[in-house]
Amino acid sequence: WVLGRQPSPQARALTNLFKGAEEEGLNPVDYDGPRWDGRLATIETGHASESELVRFDLAITISAMRYISDLNHGRVNPRTVHFDLEIDNANFDLSEFVRQELVGAENVDAMMRTVEPPFPAYRQTVGALKTYLKLASESGSELLPVPPKSVKPGDSYTGVPQLKRLLVLLSDLAAADAIAAPDLAYTGSLVTAVTRFQRRHGLEPNGIIGTHTFEDLNTPVSQRVLQLKLTLERWRWLPHGFERPPLVVNIPEFRLYAATEEYRPAFSMNVVVGRSFKHQTPVFATQLKSVIFRPYWNVSLAIQRDELVPELKKNPHYLRDHSYEVVDAQGTIVSEDSVSEDMERQLDSGKLVIRQRPGPDNSLGLVKFDMPNGYDIYMHGTPAVHLFSRPRRDFSHGCIRVENPVALAAWVLRDNPGWDTDRILGAMNGDQTFGVSLTKPIPVLILYGTAIVADDGEVDFFDDIYELDADLEKVLVKGYPYAADE
């Protein structure tokens, strides 16, 4: 990194990256960011001793290797923060990259881009972070006044001037529209801007400024910066390539995405995920291997014991009313109606199990997407379609309910000859339970990001419903070596 007793062009470029590491969602202190101006000044005098030159060269190397490693696969092992994701960096030779690619690089910035996640959404998130870092420096600490009751379109609201300033800052309101109506009326373009803000923050976009909308409006921009940084860290945990375009479920967004070969959204749909209390959907990676049409629902022992057996005790016809049946270990039907006290004891112990017969009222709907994993989590349809219209959709016992199972099945089976939409609908509405194996498994990622950046640059933020952002923040705030508590 030293040429003619002066820092090489590559060394200067690297120190700029180290000092500006926050714009990549990293901490400049981890790469001696605050020290580089002084170190460079010492070397640039031309009178630095041999030992000072050696220390400078070594410091650049150590910081570069740490920076590259952090860009490539993140700072935190995801398993230490309850993410069942395996980081695969075995094929990346860090020292070889520094020696062969970086020391003589004509463009250090471009070379660094080759080690970071290759997904367009990652770079979009980096761009959004730069924007929000600037917004954080421009925004004040002024909070909107919270009135005793919700502010509805047409109301007069004393906080209108502050609300306009905030929404202009966040690009939800055009500056010209803010000037056009100077009074305290909450009307017109201001209502439209609030509705847009609500949609971007996972709220019901009704234009009414209620408790939750005020909470999000009064959330400091610095908190949004943190959400973007945490999302970037999680992007780095992912493999840098897939054999087939993956399916991605983002838990806080309650949304499923199917990816193209270029890792852009092919389509998306609403989902319902596990409840935040006791039934959280885990974060993990797996493969979707088959589609089951008209599935049985084999009730888990926990649900059977804690929820269904108490209902059976209250209503002797509960099985019949809900299309359940009691079966033994061999799948032989024991009862389709009332149960005896002895059967209740066997249901409590798990010797007998409850399953729900296929049909439109089955809790799994008419199609199940089977993706083997240690959590017994899968995706499926549902008869409770009204839940997809809710802004917050954590209602399940952990599995993932999809809003449009027909579209998802068509995408999943697109390489299976003959499986068009008509055939899928026929299988769903037929009278047989059967499975179709995929010609090749599809990667599935169940992820957790509270900040999402669309192709057009719009940034959406979501509540930390499982408090996993809070867990990751606690680890990162400790600094290197970023190890979670046992």
Side-chain angles (χ1 to χ4, degrees), residues 194-196 198-199 202-208 391:
V194 167
T195 302
R196 182 175 187 270
Q198 290 171 325
R199 181 175 51 77
L203 301 166
E204 184 176 355
N206 56 16
I208 299 172

Side-chain angles (χ1 to χ4, degrees), residues 42-331:
T42 298
I43 304 302
E44 288 166 347
T45 63
H47 304 298
S49 66
E50 199 67 26
S51 64
E52 287 174 324
L53 293 174
V54 169
R55 285 197 297 272
F56 176 84
D57 195 273
L58 180 60
I60 290 267
T61 300
I62 292 172
S63 293
M65 294 182 75
R66 180 178 284 182
Y67 184 87
I68 294 164
S69 174
D70 292 349
L71 269 186
N72 183 254
H73 54 265
R75 294 164 286 176
V76 177
N77 184 333
R79 292 186 180 276
T80 65
V81 285
H82 314 297
F83 278 42
D84 192 3
L85 300 173
E86 194 71 52
I87 291 181
D88 180 17
N89 62 340
N91 296 323
F92 183 67
D93 190 326
L94 182 55
S95 60
E96 188 73 7
F97 178 84
V98 171
R99 185 172 66 251
Q100 296 294 335
E101 306 293 343
L102 202 56
V103 170
E106 293 186 6
N107 187 327
V108 169
D109 286 12
M111 187 55 63
M112 283 297 190
R113 297 285 81 79
T114 68
V115 304
E116 67 185 18
F119 314 113
Y122 176 83
R123 288 309 309 168
Q124 290 160 199
T125 308
V126 170
L129 174 61
K130 292 178 181 179
T131 298
Y132 271 76
L133 283 168
K134 185 173 183 294
L135 293 181
S137 67
E138 296 173 353
S139 64
S141 57
E142 182 182 30
L143 297 179
L144 294 173
V146 180
K149 59 181 182 179
S150 298
V151 179
K152 298 179 180 179
D155 288 351
S156 178
Y157 169 49
T158 58
V160 160
Q162 299 99 305
L163 179 62
K164 288 179 179 178
R165 285 195 293 272
L166 175 61
L167 294 176
V168 168
L169 181 73
L170 299 177
S171 299
D172 289 310
L173 178 66
D177 289 336
I179 296 171
D183 58 20
L184 300 181
Y186 175 56
T187 56
S189 60
L190 188 54
V191 176
T192 302
V194 167
T195 302
R196 182 175 187 270
F197 177 91
Q198 290 171 325
R199 181 175 51 77
R200 291 197 307 108
H201 292 78
L203 301 166
E204 184 176 355
N206 56 16
I208 299 172
I209 312 178
T211 301
H212 295 303
T213 300
F214 270 117
E215 288 176 356
D216 277 323
L217 286 167
N218 280 329
T219 296
V221 178
S222 59
Q223 175 61 31
R224 304 310 184 190
V225 167
L226 176 61
Q227 288 178 254
L228 289 162
K229 289 180 179 179
L230 297 178
T231 297
L232 285 171
E233 175 68 12
R234 294 190 180 109
W235 272 115
R236 298 179 187 119
W237 296 344
L238 301 184
H240 284 203
F242 299 90
E243 291 187 8
R244 297 189 73 186
L247 284 169
V248 179
V249 173
N250 184 28
I251 294 171
E253 188 182 5
F254 313 111
R255 196 95 179 143
L256 175 147
Y257 294 90
T260 66
E261 296 286 351
E262 294 76 31
Y263 302 120
R264 294 191 180 278
F267 69 89
S268 65
M269 67 180 68
N270 290 340
V271 296
V272 169
V273 300
R275 292 195 291 266
S276 59
F277 181 66
K278 290 188 177 181
H279 295 292
Q280 296 181 3
T281 299
V283 178
F284 66 101
T286 184
Q287 292 184 321
L288 199 158
K289 295 188 174 182
S290 64
V291 178
I292 313 298
F293 291 104
R294 298 186 67 84
Y296 281 90
W297 178 37
N298 298 301
V299 180
S300 71
L301 180 58
I303 298 175
Q304 176 173 298
R305 180 188 293 143
D306 298 339
E307 299 182 29
L308 298 193
V309 170
E311 292 293 340
L312 289 171
K313 292 178 178 178
K314 291 188 293 184
N315 178 3
H317 303 299
Y318 189 81
L319 289 178
R320 184 188 63 197
D321 294 345
H322 295 84
S323 300
Y324 289 118
E325 56 194 24
V326 177
V327 298
D328 61 18
Q330 288 72 44

